[in-house]
PDB file of all heavy atoms in Angstrom:
ATOM      1  N   MET A 650      -8.844  18.668   2.495  1.00 78.00           N
ATOM      2  CA  MET A 650      -8.543  17.999   1.244  1.00 78.00           C
ATOM      3  C   MET A 650      -7.652  16.788   1.508  1.00 78.00           C
ATOM      4  O   MET A 650      -6.764  16.816   2.343  1.00 78.00           O
ATOM      5  CB  MET A 650      -7.853  18.960   0.283  1.00 78.00           C
ATOM      6  CG  MET A 650      -7.578  18.377  -1.044  1.00 78.00           C
ATOM      7  SD  MET A 650      -7.003  19.659  -2.168  1.00 78.00           S
ATOM      8  CE  MET A 650      -6.616  18.666  -3.542  1.00 78.00           C
ATOM      9  N   THR A 655       2.004   9.894  -5.152  1.00 97.00           N
ATOM     10  CA  THR A 655       2.377   9.244  -6.403  1.00 97.00           C
ATOM     11  C   THR A 655       2.858   7.822  -6.136  1.00 97.00           C
ATOM     12  O   THR A 655       3.124   7.438  -4.993  1.00 97.00           O
ATOM     13  CB  THR A 655       3.500  10.019  -7.107  1.00 97.00           C
ATOM     14  OG1 THR A 655       4.654   9.999  -6.261  1.00 97.00           O
ATOM     15  CG2 THR A 655       3.080  11.450  -7.412  1.00 97.00           C
ATOM     16  N   LEU A 656       2.994   7.054  -7.189  1.00 98.00           N
ATOM     17  CA  LEU A 656       3.464   5.678  -7.057  1.00 98.00           C
ATOM     18  C   LEU A 656       4.844   5.602  -6.387  1.00 98.00           C
ATOM     19  O   LEU A 656       5.012   4.809  -5.453  1.00 98.00           O
ATOM     20  CB  LEU A 656       3.476   5.002  -8.434  1.00 98.00           C
ATOM     21  CG  LEU A 656       3.752   3.506  -8.392  1.00 98.00           C
ATOM     22  CD1 LEU A 656       2.837   2.768  -9.348  1.00 98.00           C
ATOM     23  CD2 LEU A 656       5.202   3.226  -8.712  1.00 98.00           C
ATOM     24  N   MET A 673       2.043  -5.374  -7.715  1.00 97.00           N
ATOM     25  CA  MET A 673       0.958  -5.506  -6.739  1.00 97.00           C
ATOM     26  C   MET A 673      -0.346  -4.936  -7.304  1.00 97.00           C
ATOM     27  O   MET A 673      -1.416  -5.515  -7.094  1.00 97.00           O
ATOM     28  CB  MET A 673       1.327  -4.793  -5.430  1.00 97.00           C
ATOM     29  CG  MET A 673       2.435  -5.472  -4.648  1.00 97.00           C
ATOM     30  SD  MET A 673       3.016  -4.483  -3.248  1.00 97.00           S
ATOM     31  CE  MET A 673       1.553  -4.463  -2.210  1.00 97.00           C
ATOM     32  N   ALA A 679      -2.413  -4.408  -4.131  1.00 97.00           N
ATOM     33  CA  ALA A 679      -1.928  -3.079  -3.726  1.00 97.00           C
ATOM     34  C   ALA A 679      -3.039  -2.282  -3.055  1.00 97.00           C
ATOM     35  O   ALA A 679      -4.224  -2.614  -3.181  1.00 97.00           O
ATOM     36  CB  ALA A 679      -1.426  -2.320  -4.955  1.00 97.00           C
ATOM     37  N   LEU A 684      -6.364   6.425 -11.514  1.00 97.00           N
ATOM     38  CA  LEU A 684      -5.660   7.208 -12.526  1.00 97.00           C
ATOM     39  C   LEU A 684      -6.279   8.599 -12.543  1.00 97.00           C
ATOM     40  O   LEU A 684      -7.476   8.747 -12.799  1.00 97.00           O
ATOM     41  CB  LEU A 684      -5.775   6.569 -13.903  1.00 97.00           C
ATOM     42  CG  LEU A 684      -4.877   5.369 -14.166  1.00 97.00           C
ATOM     43  CD1 LEU A 684      -5.183   4.777 -15.533  1.00 97.00           C
ATOM     44  CD2 LEU A 684      -3.417   5.767 -14.069  1.00 97.00           C
ATOM     45  N   ILE A 685      -5.490   9.598 -12.234  1.00 96.00           N
ATOM     46  CA  ILE A 685      -5.943  10.987 -12.232  1.00 96.00           C
ATOM     47  C   ILE A 685      -5.027  11.750 -13.174  1.00 96.00           C
ATOM     48  O   ILE A 685      -3.821  11.837 -12.925  1.00 96.00           O
ATOM     49  CB  ILE A 685      -5.910  11.589 -10.817  1.00 96.00           C
ATOM     50  CG1 ILE A 685      -6.812  10.770  -9.884  1.00 96.00           C
ATOM     51  CG2 ILE A 685      -6.316  13.056 -10.843  1.00 96.00           C
ATOM     52  CD1 ILE A 685      -6.756  11.192  -8.433  1.00 96.00           C
ATOM     53  N   GLY A 686      -5.579  12.259 -14.246  1.00 95.00           N
ATOM     54  CA  GLY A 686      -4.773  12.967 -15.231  1.00 95.00           C
ATOM     55  C   GLY A 686      -3.688  12.103 -15.828  1.00 95.00           C
ATOM     56  O   GLY A 686      -2.607  12.592 -16.156  1.00 95.00           O
ATOM     57  N   GLN A 693      -3.633   9.120   0.970  1.00 97.00           N
ATOM     58  CA  GLN A 693      -2.855   8.800   2.171  1.00 97.00           C
ATOM     59  C   GLN A 693      -3.652   7.895   3.109  1.00 97.00           C
ATOM     60  O   GLN A 693      -3.120   6.937   3.652  1.00 97.00           O
ATOM     61  CB  GLN A 693      -2.423  10.076   2.898  1.00 97.00           C
ATOM     62  CG  GLN A 693      -1.603   9.819   4.150  1.00 97.00           C
ATOM     63  CD  GLN A 693      -0.272   9.131   3.889  1.00 97.00           C
ATOM     64  OE1 GLN A 693       0.469   9.518   2.998  1.00 97.00           O
ATOM     65  NE2 GLN A 693       0.037   8.097   4.651  1.00 97.00           N
ATOM     66  N   GLU A 697      -2.673   4.161   4.763  1.00 96.00           N
ATOM     67  CA  GLU A 697      -2.698   3.856   6.196  1.00 96.00           C
ATOM     68  C   GLU A 697      -3.630   2.687   6.494  1.00 96.00           C
ATOM     69  O   GLU A 697      -3.291   1.796   7.284  1.00 96.00           O
ATOM     70  CB  GLU A 697      -3.089   5.101   6.980  1.00 96.00           C
ATOM     71  CG  GLU A 697      -2.031   6.187   6.914  1.00 96.00           C
ATOM     72  CD  GLU A 697      -2.499   7.542   7.405  1.00 96.00           C
ATOM     73  OE1 GLU A 697      -3.649   7.650   7.889  1.00 96.00           O
ATOM     74  OE2 GLU A 697      -1.711   8.496   7.295  1.00 96.00           O
ATOM     75  N   ILE A 700      -1.928  -0.568   5.380  1.00 95.00           N
ATOM     76  CA  ILE A 700      -0.897  -1.007   6.329  1.00 95.00           C
ATOM     77  C   ILE A 700      -1.554  -1.609   7.564  1.00 95.00           C
ATOM     78  O   ILE A 700      -1.157  -2.681   8.027  1.00 95.00           O
ATOM     79  CB  ILE A 700       0.042   0.158   6.690  1.00 95.00           C
ATOM     80  CG1 ILE A 700       0.876   0.554   5.463  1.00 95.00           C
ATOM     81  CG2 ILE A 700       0.939  -0.210   7.873  1.00 95.00           C
ATOM     82  CD1 ILE A 700       1.653   1.842   5.615  1.00 95.00           C
ATOM     83  N   PHE A 704      -1.427  -5.718   9.264  1.00 90.00           N
ATOM     84  CA  PHE A 704      -1.157  -6.138  10.636  1.00 90.00           C
ATOM     85  C   PHE A 704      -2.335  -6.917  11.211  1.00 90.00           C
ATOM     86  O   PHE A 704      -2.136  -7.865  11.959  1.00 90.00           O
ATOM     87  CB  PHE A 704      -0.848  -4.933  11.525  1.00 90.00           C
ATOM     88  CG  PHE A 704       0.569  -4.458  11.393  1.00 90.00           C
ATOM     89  CD1 PHE A 704       0.880  -3.390  10.574  1.00 90.00           C
ATOM     90  CD2 PHE A 704       1.592  -5.089  12.087  1.00 90.00           C
ATOM     91  CE1 PHE A 704       2.188  -2.954  10.441  1.00 90.00           C
ATOM     92  CE2 PHE A 704       2.902  -4.666  11.960  1.00 90.00           C
ATOM     93  CZ  PHE A 704       3.201  -3.589  11.134  1.00 90.00           C
ATOM     94  N   HIS A 708      -0.074 -13.242  11.202  1.00 57.00           N
ATOM     95  CA  HIS A 708       0.039 -14.242  12.271  1.00 57.00           C
ATOM     96  C   HIS A 708       1.131 -13.796  13.224  1.00 57.00           C
ATOM     97  O   HIS A 708       2.200 -13.389  12.808  1.00 57.00           O
ATOM     98  CB  HIS A 708       0.387 -15.605  11.687  1.00 57.00           C
ATOM     99  CG  HIS A 708      -0.654 -16.126  10.775  1.00 57.00           C
ATOM    100  ND1 HIS A 708      -1.825 -16.648  11.230  1.00 57.00           N
ATOM    101  CD2 HIS A 708      -0.718 -16.181   9.418  1.00 57.00           C
ATOM    102  CE1 HIS A 708      -2.570 -17.014  10.200  1.00 57.00           C
ATOM    103  NE2 HIS A 708      -1.910 -16.734   9.093  1.00 57.00           N
TER     104      HIS A 708
END
Side-chain angles (χ1 to χ4, degrees):
M650 183 171 174
T655 63
L656 189 138
M673 290 171 65
L684 282 176
I685 301 174
Q693 180 63 47
E697 293 167 4
I700 292 169
F704 279 98
H708 298 284

